[in-house]
Amino acid sequence: MQMSPALTCLTLGLALVFGEGSALYQQESQAAQLATDFGVKVFQQVAQDSNDRNVIFSPYGVASVLAMLQLPTGGKTRQQIQSAMGFDIEEKGVAPALRQLHKELLGPWNKDEISTTDAIFVQRDLKLVKGFMSHFFRLFRTMVKQVDFSEGDRARFIINDWVKTHTKGMISNLLPEGAVDQLTRLVLVNALYFNGHWKTPFPTTGTHQRLFHKSDGSTVSVPMMTQTNKFNYTEFTTPDGHYYDILELPYHGDTLSMFIAAPYEKEVPLSALINILDAQLISHWKGNMTRLPRLLVLPKFSLESEVDLRKPLENLGMTDMFSPGQADFTNLSEQEPLHVSQALQKVKIEVNESGTVASSSTAVVVSGRMAPLEIIMDRPFLFVVRHNPTGAVLFMGQVMEP
C-alpha cells in the first residue's frame, strides 16, 4: 500500500523581549489574548506530560505556526484548529490584528535585541490551489519558499540554515537527520530570538551556591543570584486555597517583563498553579502588583526543550490533521492527500545576572498573610515572559531543577 505524502509542521520558539509600545487597538489586544490563551493551553498539556522535568515553551511560537496552518486546511480539519485557537484567520480584521501585534513586538522603541520570523517551505513541484501563494502573502506578509524535499539532505540543510540565521546561531540543527524525506510536502517554521538585559542587573558578587528543594523532597546545590531592590510583588490563591507569590522582573526596555511565580508552601506542586493559567489571570497579576522593597534570591538557569506537540495538540481536539485518512489540506493542493507528520518546538533560554538570552479569572487577590520580606525561589517555580502593552505571553516555562 502506497503511503500518502506527509505534511511536516515545525515550530521553533526562543524567548524574546521588547521595548516601549505605541497605543494598541482593542482588536490587537483581543488577538494577542486569543493567541496567548491557545499557547498557554498547549503549554499546560506539555507540562502535564513533563512531570518533574524542566520545560521552556513559546506560546507565541506555537500560535504563529498554527495560525498559518489554518490557511492550507479545509473542512473538519480546519474547524478543529479554529475551535482550539478560538479564531478564524480569515475572519475580517484577525490577520491585520496579528500583523499589528507582530509589528508592536518589533517596534523601534524596543531597547533589547529581538526578532521573530515566520516561513513556509513547500515542495517545488507540488501543484498548489490557484491563488494560494498570493492569498498566503496577503494574510501573513510572508513569501512561500519552494524547496525540493526529494533531496532530503539538501532541503534539511536549507531549512536548518534559515533557522540558524534567524536565531543568531543558537539553534543550528532543528531538523535532525531523517526529519524530512521524499514524502514531505510542507514545513512551517516560526523562529524567535531574544537578548534582553534586566532593568536592574544582579551583582555578580551576590551569586552564591544555595540549596534548591526539588519536588521529590531532595535538594541540589545551585548558583543563586541575589539583589535587594523595590520589586512589583503580589500574592494570589489557587481555587484550592493555596497561596502563591508573584514577582515582576522588568527588562531595561520596560515593556517586557519576566514574571516569577511559585506556591508559598514547598509541598504544593507547581501544577496547582500551571493548571489555572490563562492570559486574563496573568493580566490580573500585573494589575494587582504593589512596589515593595524585597530581597530576591533567584537561581541562574539555562534550559533547552524539544517538545513533540502531536499529543498536546490532539488532546486539544486537533486530531484529523495527523490522520492520513482524515486530514484535509485541499486548500493547499488537490494533487495528493496530505497530513501532518510532525509538530515540534525547540526552545533555549539562558538567565543570568545581566539578563536573558533565549532562542519561547479563577483566582482572587487576597491579603490573608503578611507579605514576606525575602523572596527566595529555592523551590520549583514558573516563569512567564510577557509583552505588557499587548498582554502577549511569548515564553513560559517550569524550572524543576536549575
Side-chain angles (χ1 to χ4, degrees):
M1 179 179 174
Q2 187 179 6
M3 286 180 63
S4 62
L7 178 92
T8 304
C9 166
L10 298 115
T11 167
L12 163 71
L14 296 118
L16 41 157
V17 162
F18 319 95
E20 289 182 0
S22 58
L24 293 174
Y25 295 103
Q26 184 178 359
Q27 195 163 25
E28 292 152 27
S29 296
Q30 191 174 31
Q33 181 172 329
L34 290 171
T36 293
D37 278 340
F38 169 70
V40 171
K41 282 192 291 185
V42 180
F43 170 74
Q44 288 168 332
Q45 294 291 326
V46 171
Q48 283 176 17
D49 290 338
S50 300
N51 297 319
D52 291 335
R53 296 195 306 273
N54 293 332
V55 176
I56 167 70
F57 186 77
S58 171
Y60 182 82
V62 73
S64 295
V65 169
L66 268 293
M68 287 195 293
L69 195 61
Q70 285 192 25
L71 204 59
T73 57
K76 190 179 173 186
T77 303
R78 185 169 185 166
Q79 290 170 10
Q80 288 177 351
I81 300 173
Q82 290 172 347
S83 176
M85 298 195 77
F87 64 84
D88 177 353
I89 194 64
E90 293 193 277
E91 186 180 334
K92 185 178 179 181
V94 171
L98 290 175
R99 288 200 304 271
Q100 182 61 30
L101 170 60
H102 182 270
K103 186 177 177 182
E104 291 291 331
L105 302 183
L106 300 182
W109 45 84
N110 172 54
K111 296 178 183 177
D112 294 289
E113 185 179 0
I114 172 182
S115 66
T116 172
T117 315
D118 299 314
I120 176 171
F121 299 87
V122 177
Q123 172 61 30
R124 182 167 290 149
D125 59 4
L126 183 66
K127 187 177 180 181
L128 301 181
V129 169
K130 186 177 180 181
F132 175 82
M133 290 177 72
S134 58
H135 185 40
F136 189 89
F137 180 79
R138 276 199 305 275
L139 288 185
F140 298 104
R141 297 296 190 263
T142 298
M143 297 291 291
V144 176
K145 305 176 194 301
Q146 294 182 310
V147 294
D148 186 358
F149 288 110
S150 67
E151 299 181 15
D153 286 342
R154 176 164 171 74
R156 188 169 70 91
F157 172 81
I158 290 170
I159 297 171
N160 280 346
D161 189 62
W162 183 93
V163 168
K164 184 177 180 180
T165 299
H166 287 87
T167 60
K168 310 281 186 179
M170 282 193 76
I171 294 183
S172 57
N173 192 33
L174 174 68
L175 297 180
E177 194 170 343
V180 297
D181 56 28
Q182 67 272 15
L183 295 178
T184 303
R185 295 295 178 267
L186 178 71
V187 173
L188 296 149
V189 182
N190 168 263
L192 301 102
Y193 174 83
F194 151 64
N195 187 346
H197 298 277
W198 301 126
K199 185 173 183 179
T200 305
F202 290 80
T204 54
T205 54
T207 299
H208 301 290
Q209 294 292 124
R210 294 182 65 137
L211 290 181
F212 185 91
H213 299 264
K214 296 167 62 176
S215 57
D216 63 3
S218 64
T219 59
V220 59
S221 178
V222 300
M224 292 206 188
M225 311 178 292
T226 306
Q227 70 164 282
T228 301
N229 206 336
K230 284 190 172 182
F231 296 100
N232 281 337
Y233 166 85
T234 188
E235 60 182 35
F236 275 62
T237 56
T238 68
D240 296 333
H242 298 298
Y243 290 99
Y244 61 97
D245 300 304
I246 308 105
L247 191 93
E248 180 182 10
L249 280 175
Y251 292 95
H252 84 299
D254 262 345
T255 58
L256 210 96
S257 302
M258 179 180 283
F259 294 86
I260 308 287
Y264 176 64
E265 299 159 306
K266 288 184 176 68
E267 62 271 19
V268 175
L270 195 57
S271 58
L273 174 53
I274 290 173
N275 292 341
I276 62 173
L277 277 178
D278 60 18
Q280 189 175 12
L281 176 58
I282 297 167
S283 292
H284 283 329
W285 291 355
K286 176 64 177 172
N288 287 279
M289 288 186 149
T290 304
R291 196 162 176 80
L292 298 170
R294 290 291 179 269
L295 167 67
L296 172 64
V297 180
L298 179 70
K300 292 173 66 168
F301 60 93
S302 177
L303 307 183
E304 181 174 351
S305 291
E306 187 164 347
V307 179
D308 183 343
L309 293 171
R310 177 167 181 164
K311 184 181 175 184
L313 295 179
E314 286 181 332
N315 287 346
L316 292 175
M318 291 169 280
T319 55
D320 282 13
M321 67 183 186
F322 294 105
S323 168
Q326 301 293 328
D328 182 348
F329 283 87
T330 52
N331 283 340
L332 173 70
S333 175
E334 297 176 343
Q335 183 176 334
E336 53 194 352
L338 303 170
H339 70 282
V340 173
S341 64
Q342 296 180 74
L344 308 172
Q345 183 178 86
K346 190 170 184 177
V347 188
K348 286 183 180 180
I349 186 168
E350 296 174 11
V351 174
N352 57 30
E353 290 89 350
S354 60
T356 304
V357 179
S359 18
S360 139
S361 136
T362 52
V364 294
V365 180
V366 297
S367 54
R369 65 181 174 89
M370 188 174 292
L373 298 177
E374 297 180 346
I375 307 293
I376 302 176
M377 289 297 170
D378 60 354
R379 58 199 185 279
F381 61 90
L382 170 78
F383 67 89
V384 174
V385 179
R386 179 182 188 263
H387 184 237
N388 294 319
T390 62
V393 171
L394 304 166
F395 291 87
M396 63 195 315
Q398 63 180 29
V399 179
M400 309 303 288
E401 179 180 352

